[in-house]
Amino acid sequence: MAIHTVSYKFYPSLLNCYDRFEKGFLSEQELINRVNRVPMPQTEAQRKGVIFEDAVIKGIDEEMFDPQILAQVRALLPRPMLRTQFYCEYQLENVLLYGYVDVLGKMFAADIKTTSNYKPDHYAQNHQNFYLPALRSKGVRSLRYIITDFDQVYQEEYDHSIDLSAQEAQIKSFCDFLEMHRTEITDRRIFGG
């Protein structure tokens, strides 16, 4: 197996922004702003998601949420929880993919998601699925998304048999996009630096 020099460093939420750009939900300038890490105010939905995750994992501000929803989400987390906010990385040719999985267990990792409108299999092509090969050496066999719309709790679980070819093609396309806009990129860390 050839060893590649890292030319790009991506994290899943940035790649998911590129996916939204390709689908027409983000403008080119909005995507470039995300690449350049231009500060953006946190939305109310994002804030609520962060508070919910803290309530589930740390027991902070639990009173803000339905106790049954909290219990259902907690029941789906790995036991024991080995680590929270566990850093992982995976190299795909000249691209380093990195990020933090919410909860690391012995056999599976979990990521907590909040949404206002859940659709089944929403995370099948999420770029966080690259946490699977990144965590293989830790014994992780699957990645479980635990999702709530604050009325119900849903889960999606993916294992190493997942097809990542759509995400891989999107990564190559994103590299091409970055090269076409290299002069507009001010945050050079994305280029492996």
PDB file of all heavy atoms in Angstrom, residues 16 19 23 113 115 117-127 129 143 145-147 154-159 162-163 167:
ATOM      1  N   ASN A  16     -20.032  17.741   4.812  1.00  0.00           N
ATOM      2  CA  ASN A  16     -21.496  17.775   4.741  1.00  0.00           C
ATOM      3  C   ASN A  16     -21.980  19.134   4.228  1.00  0.00           C
ATOM      4  O   ASN A  16     -23.003  19.213   3.542  1.00  0.00           O
ATOM      5  CB  ASN A  16     -22.108  17.420   6.092  1.00  0.00           C
ATOM      6  CG  ASN A  16     -21.878  15.952   6.452  1.00  0.00           C
ATOM      7  OD1 ASN A  16     -21.773  15.086   5.586  1.00  0.00           O
ATOM      8  ND2 ASN A  16     -21.779  15.679   7.739  1.00  0.00           N
ATOM      9  N   ASP A  19     -21.712  18.883   0.566  1.00  0.00           N
ATOM     10  CA  ASP A  19     -22.868  18.128   0.080  1.00  0.00           C
ATOM     11  C   ASP A  19     -24.077  19.063  -0.079  1.00  0.00           C
ATOM     12  O   ASP A  19     -24.781  19.021  -1.094  1.00  0.00           O
ATOM     13  CB  ASP A  19     -23.191  16.987   1.051  1.00  0.00           C
ATOM     14  CG  ASP A  19     -24.398  16.183   0.622  1.00  0.00           C
ATOM     15  OD1 ASP A  19     -24.348  15.551  -0.451  1.00  0.00           O
ATOM     16  OD2 ASP A  19     -25.402  16.178   1.364  1.00  0.00           O
ATOM     17  N   LYS A  23     -26.108  20.262  -3.529  1.00  0.00           N
ATOM     18  CA  LYS A  23     -27.571  20.114  -3.645  1.00  0.00           C
ATOM     19  C   LYS A  23     -28.282  21.458  -3.786  1.00  0.00           C
ATOM     20  O   LYS A  23     -29.504  21.505  -3.879  1.00  0.00           O
ATOM     21  CB  LYS A  23     -28.117  19.334  -2.448  1.00  0.00           C
ATOM     22  CG  LYS A  23     -27.675  17.880  -2.463  1.00  0.00           C
ATOM     23  CD  LYS A  23     -28.120  17.142  -1.227  1.00  0.00           C
ATOM     24  CE  LYS A  23     -27.673  15.679  -1.313  1.00  0.00           C
ATOM     25  NZ  LYS A  23     -27.811  14.983  -0.048  1.00  0.00           N
ATOM     26  N   LYS A 113     -27.641  13.133  17.558  1.00  0.00           N
ATOM     27  CA  LYS A 113     -28.116  14.135  16.614  1.00  0.00           C
ATOM     28  C   LYS A 113     -29.487  14.639  17.045  1.00  0.00           C
ATOM     29  O   LYS A 113     -30.312  13.878  17.542  1.00  0.00           O
ATOM     30  CB  LYS A 113     -28.253  13.540  15.206  1.00  0.00           C
ATOM     31  CG  LYS A 113     -26.984  12.940  14.640  1.00  0.00           C
ATOM     32  CD  LYS A 113     -25.988  14.019  14.297  1.00  0.00           C
ATOM     33  CE  LYS A 113     -24.789  13.459  13.569  1.00  0.00           C
ATOM     34  NZ  LYS A 113     -23.746  14.459  13.405  1.00  0.00           N
ATOM     35  N   THR A 115     -32.801  17.056  15.484  1.00  0.00           N
ATOM     36  CA  THR A 115     -33.361  17.550  14.234  1.00  0.00           C
ATOM     37  C   THR A 115     -34.798  17.994  14.459  1.00  0.00           C
ATOM     38  O   THR A 115     -35.435  17.596  15.439  1.00  0.00           O
ATOM     39  CB  THR A 115     -33.308  16.455  13.140  1.00  0.00           C
ATOM     40  OG1 THR A 115     -33.745  17.002  11.908  1.00  0.00           O
ATOM     41  CG2 THR A 115     -34.166  15.248  13.504  1.00  0.00           C
ATOM     42  N   ASN A 117     -36.884  17.538  11.797  1.00  0.00           N
ATOM     43  CA  ASN A 117     -37.609  16.753  10.805  1.00  0.00           C
ATOM     44  C   ASN A 117     -36.771  15.547  10.398  1.00  0.00           C
ATOM     45  O   ASN A 117     -35.945  15.654   9.509  1.00  0.00           O
ATOM     46  CB  ASN A 117     -37.931  17.637   9.592  1.00  0.00           C
ATOM     47  CG  ASN A 117     -38.769  16.923   8.565  1.00  0.00           C
ATOM     48  OD1 ASN A 117     -39.434  15.941   8.864  1.00  0.00           O
ATOM     49  ND2 ASN A 117     -38.730  17.405   7.341  1.00  0.00           N
ATOM     50  N   TYR A 118     -36.993  14.428  11.054  1.00  0.00           N
ATOM     51  CA  TYR A 118     -36.204  13.235  10.778  1.00  0.00           C
ATOM     52  C   TYR A 118     -36.763  12.447   9.595  1.00  0.00           C
ATOM     53  O   TYR A 118     -37.964  12.249   9.485  1.00  0.00           O
ATOM     54  CB  TYR A 118     -36.143  12.325  12.009  1.00  0.00           C
ATOM     55  CG  TYR A 118     -35.433  11.030  11.708  1.00  0.00           C
ATOM     56  CD1 TYR A 118     -34.056  11.022  11.478  1.00  0.00           C
ATOM     57  CD2 TYR A 118     -36.125   9.830  11.611  1.00  0.00           C
ATOM     58  CE1 TYR A 118     -33.391   9.844  11.162  1.00  0.00           C
ATOM     59  CE2 TYR A 118     -35.464   8.653  11.297  1.00  0.00           C
ATOM     60  CZ  TYR A 118     -34.107   8.670  11.078  1.00  0.00           C
ATOM     61  OH  TYR A 118     -33.455   7.508  10.750  1.00  0.00           O
ATOM     62  N   LYS A 119     -35.850  12.000   8.732  1.00  0.00           N
ATOM     63  CA  LYS A 119     -36.197  11.110   7.628  1.00  0.00           C
ATOM     64  C   LYS A 119     -35.328   9.858   7.762  1.00  0.00           C
ATOM     65  O   LYS A 119     -34.120   9.974   7.967  1.00  0.00           O
ATOM     66  CB  LYS A 119     -35.927  11.784   6.278  1.00  0.00           C
ATOM     67  CG  LYS A 119     -36.844  12.961   6.001  1.00  0.00           C
ATOM     68  CD  LYS A 119     -36.537  13.575   4.636  1.00  0.00           C
ATOM     69  CE  LYS A 119     -37.466  14.713   4.327  1.00  0.00           C
ATOM     70  NZ  LYS A 119     -37.137  15.953   4.984  1.00  0.00           N
ATOM     71  N   PRO A 120     -35.916   8.660   7.638  1.00  0.00           N
ATOM     72  CA  PRO A 120     -35.128   7.424   7.767  1.00  0.00           C
ATOM     73  C   PRO A 120     -33.934   7.392   6.808  1.00  0.00           C
ATOM     74  O   PRO A 120     -33.996   7.929   5.704  1.00  0.00           O
ATOM     75  CB  PRO A 120     -36.142   6.328   7.422  1.00  0.00           C
ATOM     76  CG  PRO A 120     -37.471   6.933   7.750  1.00  0.00           C
ATOM     77  CD  PRO A 120     -37.335   8.396   7.426  1.00  0.00           C
ATOM     78  N   ASP A 121     -32.863   6.773   7.266  1.00  0.00           N
ATOM     79  CA  ASP A 121     -31.613   6.605   6.507  1.00  0.00           C
ATOM     80  C   ASP A 121     -30.951   7.933   6.144  1.00  0.00           C
ATOM     81  O   ASP A 121     -30.164   7.998   5.203  1.00  0.00           O
ATOM     82  CB  ASP A 121     -31.844   5.765   5.249  1.00  0.00           C
ATOM     83  CG  ASP A 121     -32.417   4.400   5.566  1.00  0.00           C
ATOM     84  OD1 ASP A 121     -31.960   3.792   6.554  1.00  0.00           O
ATOM     85  OD2 ASP A 121     -33.322   3.947   4.845  1.00  0.00           O
ATOM     86  N   HIS A 122     -31.237   8.956   6.899  1.00  0.00           N
ATOM     87  CA  HIS A 122     -30.682  10.283   6.638  1.00  0.00           C
ATOM     88  C   HIS A 122     -29.152  10.288   6.698  1.00  0.00           C
ATOM     89  O   HIS A 122     -28.502  11.049   5.994  1.00  0.00           O
ATOM     90  CB  HIS A 122     -31.249  11.292   7.642  1.00  0.00           C
ATOM     91  CG  HIS A 122     -30.715  12.676   7.474  1.00  0.00           C
ATOM     92  ND1 HIS A 122     -31.125  13.515   6.466  1.00  0.00           N
ATOM     93  CD2 HIS A 122     -29.776  13.359   8.175  1.00  0.00           C
ATOM     94  CE1 HIS A 122     -30.471  14.661   6.546  1.00  0.00           C
ATOM     95  NE2 HIS A 122     -29.652  14.593   7.573  1.00  0.00           N
ATOM     96  N   TYR A 123     -28.570   9.444   7.538  1.00  0.00           N
ATOM     97  CA  TYR A 123     -27.126   9.472   7.755  1.00  0.00           C
ATOM     98  C   TYR A 123     -26.370   8.418   6.944  1.00  0.00           C
ATOM     99  O   TYR A 123     -25.168   8.258   7.117  1.00  0.00           O
ATOM    100  CB  TYR A 123     -26.823   9.329   9.253  1.00  0.00           C
ATOM    101  CG  TYR A 123     -27.378  10.518  10.004  1.00  0.00           C
ATOM    102  CD1 TYR A 123     -28.629  10.456  10.623  1.00  0.00           C
ATOM    103  CD2 TYR A 123     -26.696  11.724  10.037  1.00  0.00           C
ATOM    104  CE1 TYR A 123     -29.157  11.553  11.274  1.00  0.00           C
ATOM    105  CE2 TYR A 123     -27.219  12.827  10.681  1.00  0.00           C
ATOM    106  CZ  TYR A 123     -28.448  12.736  11.295  1.00  0.00           C
ATOM    107  OH  TYR A 123     -28.974  13.831  11.913  1.00  0.00           O
ATOM    108  N   ALA A 124     -27.043   7.736   6.037  1.00  0.00           N
ATOM    109  CA  ALA A 124     -26.408   6.672   5.252  1.00  0.00           C
ATOM    110  C   ALA A 124     -25.218   7.190   4.440  1.00  0.00           C
ATOM    111  O   ALA A 124     -24.253   6.461   4.234  1.00  0.00           O
ATOM    112  CB  ALA A 124     -27.423   6.004   4.334  1.00  0.00           C
ATOM    113  N   GLN A 125     -25.285   8.439   3.985  1.00  0.00           N
ATOM    114  CA  GLN A 125     -24.181   8.992   3.205  1.00  0.00           C
ATOM    115  C   GLN A 125     -23.498  10.159   3.912  1.00  0.00           C
ATOM    116  O   GLN A 125     -22.848  10.980   3.284  1.00  0.00           O
ATOM    117  CB  GLN A 125     -24.661   9.381   1.807  1.00  0.00           C
ATOM    118  CG  GLN A 125     -25.058   8.165   1.015  1.00  0.00           C
ATOM    119  CD  GLN A 125     -25.252   8.441  -0.458  1.00  0.00           C
ATOM    120  OE1 GLN A 125     -25.309   9.579  -0.911  1.00  0.00           O
ATOM    121  NE2 GLN A 125     -25.334   7.387  -1.226  1.00  0.00           N
ATOM    122  N   ASN A 126     -23.615  10.177   5.232  1.00  0.00           N
ATOM    123  CA  ASN A 126     -22.965  11.211   6.022  1.00  0.00           C
ATOM    124  C   ASN A 126     -21.465  10.957   6.045  1.00  0.00           C
ATOM    125  O   ASN A 126     -21.011   9.816   6.096  1.00  0.00           O
ATOM    126  CB  ASN A 126     -23.531  11.190   7.450  1.00  0.00           C
ATOM    127  CG  ASN A 126     -23.106  12.375   8.269  1.00  0.00           C
ATOM    128  OD1 ASN A 126     -21.945  12.531   8.604  1.00  0.00           O
ATOM    129  ND2 ASN A 126     -24.060  13.222   8.600  1.00  0.00           N
ATOM    130  N   HIS A 127     -20.691  12.014   6.023  1.00  0.00           N
ATOM    131  CA  HIS A 127     -19.237  11.866   6.025  1.00  0.00           C
ATOM    132  C   HIS A 127     -18.690  11.420   7.380  1.00  0.00           C
ATOM    133  O   HIS A 127     -17.541  10.996   7.470  1.00  0.00           O
ATOM    134  CB  HIS A 127     -18.573  13.155   5.542  1.00  0.00           C
ATOM    135  CG  HIS A 127     -18.762  13.358   4.069  1.00  0.00           C
ATOM    136  ND1 HIS A 127     -17.948  12.773   3.135  1.00  0.00           N
ATOM    137  CD2 HIS A 127     -19.701  14.045   3.367  1.00  0.00           C
ATOM    138  CE1 HIS A 127     -18.359  13.102   1.919  1.00  0.00           C
ATOM    139  NE2 HIS A 127     -19.421  13.868   2.039  1.00  0.00           N
ATOM    140  N   ASN A 129     -19.456   8.788   8.624  1.00  0.00           N
ATOM    141  CA  ASN A 129     -19.307   7.344   8.485  1.00  0.00           C
ATOM    142  C   ASN A 129     -17.839   6.943   8.314  1.00  0.00           C
ATOM    143  O   ASN A 129     -17.497   5.780   8.518  1.00  0.00           O
ATOM    144  CB  ASN A 129     -20.175   6.811   7.337  1.00  0.00           C
ATOM    145  CG  ASN A 129     -21.647   6.907   7.681  1.00  0.00           C
ATOM    146  OD1 ASN A 129     -22.026   6.886   8.850  1.00  0.00           O
ATOM    147  ND2 ASN A 129     -22.490   7.027   6.672  1.00  0.00           N
ATOM    148  N   LEU A 143     -21.171   2.147  13.889  1.00  0.00           N
ATOM    149  CA  LEU A 143     -21.417   3.533  14.283  1.00  0.00           C
ATOM    150  C   LEU A 143     -22.923   3.708  14.373  1.00  0.00           C
ATOM    151  O   LEU A 143     -23.639   3.453  13.405  1.00  0.00           O
ATOM    152  CB  LEU A 143     -20.833   4.499  13.255  1.00  0.00           C
ATOM    153  CG  LEU A 143     -21.111   5.992  13.465  1.00  0.00           C
ATOM    154  CD1 LEU A 143     -20.537   6.482  14.801  1.00  0.00           C
ATOM    155  CD2 LEU A 143     -20.528   6.809  12.315  1.00  0.00           C
ATOM    156  N   TYR A 145     -26.004   6.251  15.026  1.00  0.00           N
ATOM    157  CA  TYR A 145     -26.542   7.605  15.137  1.00  0.00           C
ATOM    158  C   TYR A 145     -27.793   7.508  15.996  1.00  0.00           C
ATOM    159  O   TYR A 145     -28.699   6.727  15.700  1.00  0.00           O
ATOM    160  CB  TYR A 145     -26.900   8.169  13.769  1.00  0.00           C
ATOM    161  CG  TYR A 145     -25.716   8.416  12.869  1.00  0.00           C
ATOM    162  CD1 TYR A 145     -25.301   7.453  11.953  1.00  0.00           C
ATOM    163  CD2 TYR A 145     -24.998   9.608  12.936  1.00  0.00           C
ATOM    164  CE1 TYR A 145     -24.211   7.672  11.118  1.00  0.00           C
ATOM    165  CE2 TYR A 145     -23.913   9.835  12.104  1.00  0.00           C
ATOM    166  CZ  TYR A 145     -23.526   8.864  11.201  1.00  0.00           C
ATOM    167  OH  TYR A 145     -22.447   9.095  10.388  1.00  0.00           O
ATOM    168  N   ILE A 146     -27.828   8.300  17.055  1.00  0.00           N
ATOM    169  CA  ILE A 146     -29.000   8.362  17.934  1.00  0.00           C
ATOM    170  C   ILE A 146     -29.609   9.732  17.702  1.00  0.00           C
ATOM    171  O   ILE A 146     -28.988  10.754  17.980  1.00  0.00           O
ATOM    172  CB  ILE A 146     -28.600   8.161  19.408  1.00  0.00           C
ATOM    173  CG1 ILE A 146     -27.808   6.851  19.569  1.00  0.00           C
ATOM    174  CG2 ILE A 146     -29.831   8.180  20.300  1.00  0.00           C
ATOM    175  CD1 ILE A 146     -27.117   6.702  20.907  1.00  0.00           C
ATOM    176  N   ILE A 147     -30.821   9.738  17.153  1.00  0.00           N
ATOM    177  CA  ILE A 147     -31.427  10.969  16.655  1.00  0.00           C
ATOM    178  C   ILE A 147     -32.729  11.238  17.395  1.00  0.00           C
ATOM    179  O   ILE A 147     -33.524  10.321  17.624  1.00  0.00           O
ATOM    180  CB  ILE A 147     -31.739  10.825  15.140  1.00  0.00           C
ATOM    181  CG1 ILE A 147     -30.506  10.331  14.380  1.00  0.00           C
ATOM    182  CG2 ILE A 147     -32.240  12.146  14.564  1.00  0.00           C
ATOM    183  CD1 ILE A 147     -30.702   9.001  13.699  1.00  0.00           C
ATOM    184  N   TYR A 154     -34.870   8.016  17.361  1.00  0.00           N
ATOM    185  CA  TYR A 154     -34.627   7.138  16.222  1.00  0.00           C
ATOM    186  C   TYR A 154     -33.164   6.697  16.279  1.00  0.00           C
ATOM    187  O   TYR A 154     -32.343   7.338  16.931  1.00  0.00           O
ATOM    188  CB  TYR A 154     -34.856   7.881  14.899  1.00  0.00           C
ATOM    189  CG  TYR A 154     -36.148   8.656  14.854  1.00  0.00           C
ATOM    190  CD1 TYR A 154     -36.195   9.988  15.252  1.00  0.00           C
ATOM    191  CD2 TYR A 154     -37.321   8.051  14.418  1.00  0.00           C
ATOM    192  CE1 TYR A 154     -37.374  10.708  15.215  1.00  0.00           C
ATOM    193  CE2 TYR A 154     -38.516   8.764  14.378  1.00  0.00           C
ATOM    194  CZ  TYR A 154     -38.544  10.089  14.779  1.00  0.00           C
ATOM    195  OH  TYR A 154     -39.713  10.793  14.740  1.00  0.00           O
ATOM    196  N   GLN A 155     -32.858   5.637  15.558  1.00  0.00           N
ATOM    197  CA  GLN A 155     -31.460   5.249  15.447  1.00  0.00           C
ATOM    198  C   GLN A 155     -31.185   4.693  14.063  1.00  0.00           C
ATOM    199  O   GLN A 155     -32.062   4.124  13.420  1.00  0.00           O
ATOM    200  CB  GLN A 155     -31.060   4.242  16.523  1.00  0.00           C
ATOM    201  CG  GLN A 155     -31.704   2.885  16.388  1.00  0.00           C
ATOM    202  CD  GLN A 155     -31.160   1.908  17.420  1.00  0.00           C
ATOM    203  OE1 GLN A 155     -29.947   1.846  17.641  1.00  0.00           O
ATOM    204  NE2 GLN A 155     -32.034   1.155  18.042  1.00  0.00           N
ATOM    205  N   GLU A 156     -29.968   4.940  13.635  1.00  0.00           N
ATOM    206  CA  GLU A 156     -29.444   4.349  12.413  1.00  0.00           C
ATOM    207  C   GLU A 156     -28.095   3.777  12.790  1.00  0.00           C
ATOM    208  O   GLU A 156     -27.319   4.434  13.478  1.00  0.00           O
ATOM    209  CB  GLU A 156     -29.254   5.405  11.313  1.00  0.00           C
ATOM    210  CG  GLU A 156     -30.533   6.022  10.814  1.00  0.00           C
ATOM    211  CD  GLU A 156     -30.300   7.081   9.746  1.00  0.00           C
ATOM    212  OE1 GLU A 156     -29.270   7.028   9.039  1.00  0.00           O
ATOM    213  OE2 GLU A 156     -31.153   7.980   9.629  1.00  0.00           O
ATOM    214  N   GLU A 157     -27.815   2.564  12.347  1.00  0.00           N
ATOM    215  CA  GLU A 157     -26.541   1.943  12.691  1.00  0.00           C
ATOM    216  C   GLU A 157     -25.892   1.411  11.419  1.00  0.00           C
ATOM    217  O   GLU A 157     -26.547   0.777  10.608  1.00  0.00           O
ATOM    218  CB  GLU A 157     -26.747   0.825  13.707  1.00  0.00           C
ATOM    219  CG  GLU A 157     -25.443   0.372  14.315  1.00  0.00           C
ATOM    220  CD  GLU A 157     -25.605  -0.233  15.703  1.00  0.00           C
ATOM    221  OE1 GLU A 157     -26.643  -0.037  16.360  1.00  0.00           O
ATOM    222  OE2 GLU A 157     -24.661  -0.893  16.131  1.00  0.00           O
ATOM    223  N   TYR A 158     -24.617   1.713  11.288  1.00  0.00           N
ATOM    224  CA  TYR A 158     -23.855   1.309  10.110  1.00  0.00           C
ATOM    225  C   TYR A 158     -22.612   0.565  10.567  1.00  0.00           C
ATOM    226  O   TYR A 158     -21.994   0.923  11.569  1.00  0.00           O
ATOM    227  CB  TYR A 158     -23.475   2.533   9.267  1.00  0.00           C
ATOM    228  CG  TYR A 158     -24.709   3.277   8.823  1.00  0.00           C
ATOM    229  CD1 TYR A 158     -25.145   4.415   9.504  1.00  0.00           C
ATOM    230  CD2 TYR A 158     -25.475   2.818   7.763  1.00  0.00           C
ATOM    231  CE1 TYR A 158     -26.303   5.070   9.120  1.00  0.00           C
ATOM    232  CE2 TYR A 158     -26.638   3.468   7.377  1.00  0.00           C
ATOM    233  CZ  TYR A 158     -27.042   4.598   8.059  1.00  0.00           C
ATOM    234  OH  TYR A 158     -28.193   5.237   7.685  1.00  0.00           O
ATOM    235  N   ASP A 159     -22.246  -0.476   9.797  1.00  0.00           N
ATOM    236  CA  ASP A 159     -21.047  -1.246  10.127  1.00  0.00           C
ATOM    237  C   ASP A 159     -20.027  -1.129   8.993  1.00  0.00           C
ATOM    238  O   ASP A 159     -20.224  -0.357   8.051  1.00  0.00           O
ATOM    239  CB  ASP A 159     -21.393  -2.697  10.455  1.00  0.00           C
ATOM    240  CG  ASP A 159     -21.999  -3.446   9.283  1.00  0.00           C
ATOM    241  OD1 ASP A 159     -21.819  -3.036   8.113  1.00  0.00           O
ATOM    242  OD2 ASP A 159     -22.657  -4.474   9.535  1.00  0.00           O
ATOM    243  N   ILE A 162     -20.583  -0.861   5.071  1.00  0.00           N
ATOM    244  CA  ILE A 162     -21.194   0.309   4.425  1.00  0.00           C
ATOM    245  C   ILE A 162     -20.398   0.719   3.180  1.00  0.00           C
ATOM    246  O   ILE A 162     -19.170   0.672   3.170  1.00  0.00           O
ATOM    247  CB  ILE A 162     -21.328   1.495   5.408  1.00  0.00           C
ATOM    248  CG1 ILE A 162     -22.181   2.608   4.799  1.00  0.00           C
ATOM    249  CG2 ILE A 162     -19.971   2.009   5.832  1.00  0.00           C
ATOM    250  CD1 ILE A 162     -22.574   3.685   5.780  1.00  0.00           C
ATOM    251  N   ASP A 163     -21.110   1.110   2.168  1.00  0.00           N
ATOM    252  CA  ASP A 163     -20.493   1.573   0.919  1.00  0.00           C
ATOM    253  C   ASP A 163     -20.189   3.065   1.055  1.00  0.00           C
ATOM    254  O   ASP A 163     -21.106   3.886   1.182  1.00  0.00           O
ATOM    255  CB  ASP A 163     -21.459   1.318  -0.238  1.00  0.00           C
ATOM    256  CG  ASP A 163     -20.912   1.776  -1.582  1.00  0.00           C
ATOM    257  OD1 ASP A 163     -19.739   2.195  -1.648  1.00  0.00           O
ATOM    258  OD2 ASP A 163     -21.674   1.706  -2.564  1.00  0.00           O
ATOM    259  N   GLN A 167     -19.388   9.022  -0.786  1.00  0.00           N
ATOM    260  CA  GLN A 167     -18.629  10.002  -0.010  1.00  0.00           C
ATOM    261  C   GLN A 167     -17.229  10.194  -0.592  1.00  0.00           C
ATOM    262  O   GLN A 167     -16.720  11.311  -0.636  1.00  0.00           O
ATOM    263  CB  GLN A 167     -18.534   9.575   1.466  1.00  0.00           C
ATOM    264  CG  GLN A 167     -19.859   9.646   2.199  1.00  0.00           C
ATOM    265  CD  GLN A 167     -20.549   8.290   2.281  1.00  0.00           C
ATOM    266  OE1 GLN A 167     -20.579   7.539   1.304  1.00  0.00           O
ATOM    267  NE2 GLN A 167     -21.119   7.996   3.428  1.00  0.00           N
TER     268      GLN A 167
END
